Structure formats: structure tokens, C-alpha cells
Amino acid sequence: MEQVVPHNPTHPELPTPAVPRGVELNGLNLIHERERKGRPRDLFWPWFAANVSVLAVSYGAFLLGFGLSFAQASVVAIVGIVVSYLFCGFISLAGKRGSAPTLTLSRAAFGVCGNRVPSIVSWLITVGWETVLVSIAVLASATVLGELGLHVGTLTRLGVLAVVVALVIGGGIYGFHVIMRMQVVITIITGVLTVIYIVLVFDHIDLAAVRAAPGGDLQQLIGGLVFMMTGFGLGWVQAAADYSRYLPRSASSPAVVGWTTFGASLGPVVLVIFGLLLAASSPELNGRIAADPIGALTTILPLWFLVPSAPVAVLGLIGGAVLDIYSSGIALLSSGVNISRPAAAAIDGVLMLIGAVYMVFFAHSFIDPFQAFLITLGTPIAAWCGIFLADLSLRRRNYAEADLFNADGRYGRFNRPAIAVLVLATFLGWGLISNPIADVSWLDWLGYLLGPLGLGGRSGTWASANLGVLVALAAGFVGTLVFGRARIRRQEARPPET
């Protein structure tokens, strides 16, 4: 079997022959023009498949936990999901303009070496997401097997974990072309069976109970919005250009943004709202979802549908995990680790396995560590997103691709103002979020600005709003507009290297 051989990133003119059936070796390097093909609507498949998971139904229960009414939660869900994935759509444009993955293009903002700082954070959050999705797949499979009357012990869970991990690591190692094929299949299967799932459990909805749910205040609305944004689009921004880099430069920019946003948002919007209806109808189901987000949803299905429902749930989760492990491998390379992309994906897979073992066999609850992970790492990612979006909006020309790999080129070794903005925005953000886990003291340092800024301290009404994520996003964006404009103009005025 032939392999996809990447060209030398410092010499973009060298050819990069691509054989779709081989193991892709493209990593941080540029994608050669002959390998760039497809249409913007092709982006629908990976983004839809990665986000159509039944896990989105569970987000309805998580969102109600903020004390919102159905109407409030629906608005928060739609706004949070669509806006956060719109950020992904904008960042996808960078891939088309620069022929490289997101964290290679981020070097233009932070410097070739300075970009290692956000790359490490990105690596942590993508490995975390892989772990979360694989853990839920195992928990859901175990619940379904139990409902079918089978004995579910440690060996059964380990067996399911081995199968899921093998599929995820395999997709991550084989790379882009295999992932795209997997995502088309996953999209069709999960889309059809998810519709059947909704039809089968629709009679569990109690509209009177849904209407009776009390509404929340401004702080609860903001808290729910932040949770939706970090749980959906902000978890993907650092990988958003990894797939659009394969599109031709002539691809329509509005279409790239539109298909990315539409493909990623469609499934979650429908499923979260349906999850709100289910969770508001049954407090008992709402409580079970916190411990086993997918498995709890299968317990209300007719027995005959449990067999096909298990692959649906697992496939949807695998679809997201495969995209994550592909991008986490790229993030690891961007952090300065000098290995091949398949090797990086394999290393991330081992870490994913270790984390999943903890989540499945040792963690007392799913929702508490999940929320802590989203909010804590979501804050620096939000800051990076603001910086990247502002940097992208200020650029009038395509990236000088060779200089993305040259520390002595126009982008430099370190962009200290951008790194300072990232650190300051993260500092402000962490100071305005709170520790969501009562019995985990190592996160008690969060929220150090809630008292000094008159927001009631760590026990006040603003503590659960997690306002810091939005502040970090805004501070990163505004800071780059103020301090980055002149630097970008100097970069773009520099003649190309000969």
C-alpha cells in the first residue's frame, strides 16, 4: 500500500502525490495544489458527522441544570451553537487561504516558535475531547448491553473500550482521506437512526411539565450560553482549518463559512432542543443523564430498537473522536514534538485510552469533570480564538506560506504582543469563572476577580455565569485589533522571498 508523502514545507513547489488508500503523512506541512480538490459543500460531511451524536440530546439536560425555562434554554442553545460554529466557519477560511492546518496558520499571529504556547493548550483540549467521547461510547454500550439482559462487568467494558479505541486510533493514523470516507458513512447511518430514535421516544414528552419549568435570571442565561459555546463550537475552533486546507483556493469563501457552520450546527440544534423536551418532561431521566449521558437515553427505547441504537450512539461519538485525534496529532507536532503525524496520533490514542479508563472505571460522575474540563481549558482557547479571528480579519493577502516554517521570515520567532494578549485574556477569563466541582479543591483558585470586581465573589450570583470565557474571547479579539494591526501591515508590505 502506497503512502501519502508530504512535500518539504520550506519548498512548497515540490510535489505531494496523494494516494487516498494510503496512510496520510501530511502533518504541519503545506498541501500541494494538485492535492487540493473538492467543493465547499464537501465540508458538510465531516462537520455533520462529528456533531450529530446523540450526546447532543444530553446537553438539553445539562442546560436545564442552569435553571432555565424551555424557551430560555432553546434560545440559548440556538445562539450558543450557531455563533460558536460560525467562529469555526470563519477560521476555515484560513485553511483555504493558507494550505496548512489551523495551528500552522496560527504561527502568523504568534510567531513560528511562540505558537507553541497555544498549541500545547489546543493539544490538551483535543485529547480531552477524545477521552470524553470514547468514555461516553463505552458507558452507553454497557448500558445497552445491560438493558438487553446481558451481564456487564469489567471485562465487557474493557472489550468495548478496546474496539472503540482501535477504530478511533485507526482513523486518526490513516488520516484525511479515510476520515472523509468514514464521516460520510457515519453521517448517513447516524442521521437516519437518530430520526427514528426521536420518533420512538416522542411520546415521553410531557408538554405540561415542559411549560411548567421556571425561568432563570441573567446570570443563569449567560452560564448556559457559555456552556453551549464551550461544549460545541469553541471545542473545535483550533482545528477548523484542518479540513478546508484541502479545498482549491478558488472555492467560494461564503460557501466555506456557510457549509461549515450549517453542517456543524444542524444536528446539535435539533438534538439539544429535543433533549430539552425530554429532560423537562422527566426529572428522573434528567438525573440519570448526569451519570451516563447516552446510556440513560437508551433506557426509554423499545427493547427491539436497542440493538441498532447502540451502534448509532457509538458511531456518532466515534465520528467526533476521529476528527479530534487527527487534530490533536497536528497540535502535538505544532507544540514542537518532532515525529510523524501518524505517530503523534498513536501517542494521543494511548493518552486517550488512559483517560477513558479513569472516566469509565473510577470517576464518580460524568458531568462534573466534564464541565470543569470545558470551562477551564475553554477559557484560553476562547482567548486564542479571539486573537486568531482578529488576525485573520486584518489580513488582506494570503499567508506567505514558506515563512510559516521560517523563524527568520516575516512572521518572526515570537510575537510577544500576541502572547501577552493571550496570557492577559486568559488571566481575566480564569478570574471570572468558578470551580464547578464542590469536592475538587485544586480548581478553587478560579474566580479570583469575582470579589475585587464587585461580582459577589466565588459564592455570588455571577460565579456560575462563567463570564470569563466571553471576556477572554473579547479581550483576545480587541487586543489583537489594537496591537496587531501595524505588525500585520508590515508583514504584508514585505516583498516575497526569492
Side-chain angles (χ1 to χ4, degrees), residues 83-403:
V83 170
S84 63
Y85 279 125
L86 185 60
F87 295 156
C88 293
F90 289 137
I91 292 173
S92 291
L93 290 176
K96 189 197 75 161
R97 292 172 60 179
S99 310
T102 317
L103 288 173
T104 299
L105 300 170
S106 180
R107 293 174 175 181
F110 292 92
V112 174
C113 297
N115 189 58
R116 292 176 181 176
V117 176
S119 295
I120 291 171
V121 177
S122 175
W123 177 69
L124 289 172
I125 199 167
T126 46
V127 171
W129 266 112
E130 297 157 24
T131 302
V132 165
L133 295 174
V134 168
S135 301
I136 299 173
V138 175
L139 292 171
S141 299
T143 300
V144 170
L145 292 174
E147 289 291 319
L148 292 173
L150 301 176
H151 174 70
V152 180
T154 301
L155 288 178
T156 303
R157 289 185 173 89
L158 285 174
V160 173
L161 179 61
V163 172
V164 173
V165 167
L167 289 171
V168 173
I169 294 179
I173 289 176
Y174 271 87
F176 175 79
H177 299 290
V178 170
I179 289 173
M180 293 298 283
R181 287 182 170 86
M182 288 178 65
Q183 300 298 53
V184 172
V185 174
I186 290 172
T187 296
I188 294 172
I189 295 175
T190 55
V192 171
L193 292 183
T194 299
V195 171
I196 296 174
Y197 173 88
I198 291 175
V199 172
L200 290 175
V201 302
F202 197 83
D203 60 351
H204 287 265
I205 295 174
D206 182 349
L207 292 179
V210 171
R211 287 192 294 266
D217 54 25
L218 177 61
Q219 293 91 332
Q220 291 167 305
L221 283 168
I222 295 176
L225 176 67
V226 170
F227 184 72
M228 286 291 103
M229 293 180 70
T230 54
F232 289 99
L234 285 180
W236 288 102
V237 288
Q238 74 280 7
D242 293 359
Y243 304 96
S244 57
R245 63 177 171 149
Y246 286 89
L247 290 175
R249 295 182 193 276
S250 58
S252 165
S253 293
V256 170
V257 176
W259 280 108
T260 298
T261 307
F262 177 63
S265 302
L266 178 60
V269 166
V270 173
L271 293 175
V272 170
I273 292 177
F274 185 71
L276 288 170
L277 292 168
L278 281 179
S281 300
S282 173
E284 180 185 356
L285 176 64
N286 195 356
R288 292 203 305 267
I289 287 174
D292 184 1
I294 302 294
L297 294 171
T298 64
T299 60
I300 59 177
L301 285 168
L303 190 61
W304 63 268
F305 192 67
L306 283 179
V307 174
S309 73
V312 175
V314 173
L315 277 175
L317 296 166
I318 288 175
V322 166
L323 288 186
D324 273 321
I325 198 169
Y326 181 83
S327 294
S328 69
I330 291 175
L332 184 60
L333 300 182
S334 187
S335 301
V337 179
N338 188 22
I339 56 177
S340 67
R341 188 202 58 77
I347 291 172
D348 291 350
V350 172
L351 296 175
M352 173 186 71
L353 174 61
I354 295 171
V357 167
Y358 168 77
M359 293 286 288
V360 172
F361 297 101
F362 300 102
H364 299 294
S365 169
F366 170 81
I367 184 59
D368 285 344
F370 180 50
Q371 188 174 357
F373 157 72
L374 286 180
I375 299 301
T376 305
L377 286 182
T379 302
I381 287 296
W384 173 89
C385 179
I387 293 169
F388 192 96
L389 286 172
D391 182 270
L392 181 65
S393 70
L394 290 171
R395 295 191 181 276
R396 299 293 177 262
R397 299 180 181 178
N398 289 337
Y399 294 94
E401 295 172 344
D403 284 345

Side-chain angles (χ1 to χ4, degrees), residues 407-420:
D408 295 322
R410 74 188 64 209
Y411 301 125
R413 194 171 297 271
F414 293 95
N415 180 7
R416 289 176 176 80
I419 296 173

